[in-house]
Amino acid sequence: MDLPKDNNQLDQIFINGSEPSIEEFEGEYWVAMLTGKIPNFRWAGHKKRFSDEDVDKTGKNIILSGITFGHFNVEPGRCDDLDDLQAVILNYGNNKNLLTRSVRDKIRTIENGWYLGRYYSDIDNSLQFRGYFSLERK
């Protein structure tokens, strides 16, 4: 899927998307950074891997066929800055993370097997929007 690289156009796609269920996230998804300051490492195999841990859904980022960074919990949530749209949250705020602890991703379905995510930094309990990324079911 060819997505724009413009935040305003991506806002409309995100708004027109739908809330995914937490349960549908299983296995691996390719990541493509679309806007913001984080470079796109899709060429290096950037993906998110989701799994069930006890009763919780969790995941991690993977790059270069096995380097793991950024462990997250998958949670229900809302996009407060976009009319309280319901979304799935990837919450990196745990002790396993050093550099990514402040990251929060908010994800909506845009097409079967395709998701659009907004990533934020949690600064003093206030989420600051940083950009967009896509997820494609592998």
Side-chain angles (χ1 to χ4, degrees):
M1 175 180 281
D2 192 27
L3 291 167
K5 305 290 190 268
D6 174 79
N7 282 337
N8 292 326
Q9 291 175 329
L10 290 166
D11 283 346
Q12 289 308 306
I13 295 169
F14 191 86
I15 289 167
N16 291 330
S18 61
E19 176 190 15
S21 70
I22 289 174
E23 294 76 28
E24 71 189 78
F25 289 98
E26 191 63 43
E28 294 183 347
Y29 296 73
W30 293 113
V31 177
M33 304 307 293
L34 301 171
T35 65
K37 293 185 179 182
I38 297 176
N40 187 7
F41 287 110
R42 172 82 185 252
W43 60 269
H46 185 192
K47 55 193 167 202
K48 293 185 187 293
R49 180 179 294 155
F50 294 84
S51 58
D52 294 316
E53 189 174 294
D54 297 323
V55 295
D56 296 324
K57 181 76 71 174
T58 62
K60 58 188 170 186
N61 284 293
I62 300 170
I63 199 164
L64 297 174
S65 299
I67 298 172
T68 299
F69 68 98
H71 295 80
F72 53 83
N73 293 322
V74 185
E75 308 166 350
R78 297 187 175 278
C79 261
D80 300 339
D81 56 336
L82 284 180
D83 297 326
D84 278 339
L85 288 172
Q86 293 183 335
V88 167
I89 309 295
L90 306 185
N91 183 347
Y92 292 80
N94 65 62
N95 291 333
K96 292 180 183 178
N97 299 320
L98 181 60
L99 299 176
T100 58
R101 193 173 296 158
S102 70
V103 175
R104 304 294 180 273
D105 295 338
K106 299 186 179 191
I107 300 173
R108 288 179 56 87
T109 304
I110 56 172
E111 192 174 289
N112 187 27
W114 281 88
Y115 303 85
L116 187 58
R118 293 170 58 89
Y119 64 97
Y120 298 79
S121 294
D122 186 348
I123 301 170
D124 296 327
N125 292 320
S126 176
L127 292 181
Q128 306 296 315
F129 173 69
R130 299 295 185 207
Y132 275 101
F133 65 94
S134 67
L135 292 178
E136 175 189 3
R137 186 171 285 143
K138 189 173 171 193

